[in-house]
Amino acid sequence: MSSQDTDEPVQAEQDRRWMARALELAEQGARLGEVPVGALVVLEGEVIGEGWNQPISSHDPSAHAELVALRQAALRLQNYRLPGATLYVTLEPCTMCSGALIHSRISRLVYGATEPKAGVVESRAQLLSSAWFNWSVAVCGGVLAEQCSAQLSRFFAARRAEKKRLKNT
């Protein structure tokens, strides 16, 4: 048995643990009325940045969970480059966030649910697989995908129910 064979189950367990934390962060966003997406940056087993979606509350269209977590991590390290770090996020990144992963030199992306409308890692495009970029990001999708997807579904169902209730009053 190679060391890679023994590392894979350990990595998968770590990925699930960190994704569970990302789900908690997403819930913080949901409580604020934001679309529940959570993200964290981990380097050498330590969280160095966390965030949740906050474009509405911050009046900032770029305040996606990934960017909030990347900004926090970069400030903590006092470096805009984050090689060796992994970004965990509950939803497949969009074009903007994928670009930020490349520019920040994130080494690994782990995401939960796919995003069929705007995801560009696997759903609408495979942007991070493009050969013309000067940085390569390893990708692992589908970690706790059912939980991530269910969290989003509950949020949007509640939002639709509230709109219906307001319309009928």
Side-chain angles (χ1 to χ4, degrees):
M1 181 181 279
S2 72
S3 65
Q4 185 177 7
D5 293 335
T6 57
D7 290 346
E8 287 178 17
V10 171
Q11 184 65 64
E13 181 54 38
Q14 288 175 354
D15 289 349
R16 287 189 294 275
R17 185 177 109 226
W18 292 123
M19 190 61 70
R21 175 63 184 147
L23 282 161
E24 292 170 2
L25 293 166
E27 193 55 41
Q28 290 184 39
R31 286 194 293 273
L32 298 171
E34 301 279 1
V35 174
V37 177
L40 60 142
V41 179
V42 176
L43 180 65
E44 297 174 358
E46 181 183 351
V47 176
I48 59 170
E50 294 184 326
W52 55 86
N53 266 6
Q54 39 196 286
I56 298 167
S57 57
S58 68
H59 309 289
D60 178 357
S62 70
H64 288 195
E66 299 95 313
L67 294 185
V68 174
L70 288 170
R71 287 176 183 138
Q72 193 179 92
L75 281 172
R76 179 161 179 193
L77 296 183
Q78 292 293 291
N79 192 342
Y80 72 111
R81 302 287 199 205
L82 303 168
T86 298
L87 183 125
Y88 292 86
V89 63
T90 57
L91 186 63
E92 178 185 2
C94 70
T95 304
M96 175 180 67
C97 294
S98 293
L101 295 175
I102 293 164
H103 289 293
S104 67
R105 303 299 194 256
I106 284 288
S107 293
R108 188 166 176 259
L109 164 67
V110 179
Y111 67 91
T114 56
E115 211 306 35
K117 292 181 181 176
V120 297
V121 176
E122 91 175 71
S123 295
R124 303 300 295 171
Q126 292 77 46
L127 195 60
L128 295 178
S129 300
S130 300
W132 64 83
F133 289 120
N134 61 348
W135 184 256
S136 178
V137 179
V139 175
C140 176
V143 175
L144 300 185
E146 288 181 22
Q147 293 93 317
C148 294
S149 182
Q151 185 181 51
L152 286 159
S153 294
R154 285 190 305 272
F155 174 82
F156 286 114
R159 182 183 269 183
R160 286 188 300 275
E162 179 63 14
K163 282 185 179 181
K164 185 176 181 179
R165 186 189 69 76
L166 291 172
K167 184 178 177 183
N168 293 331
T169 57

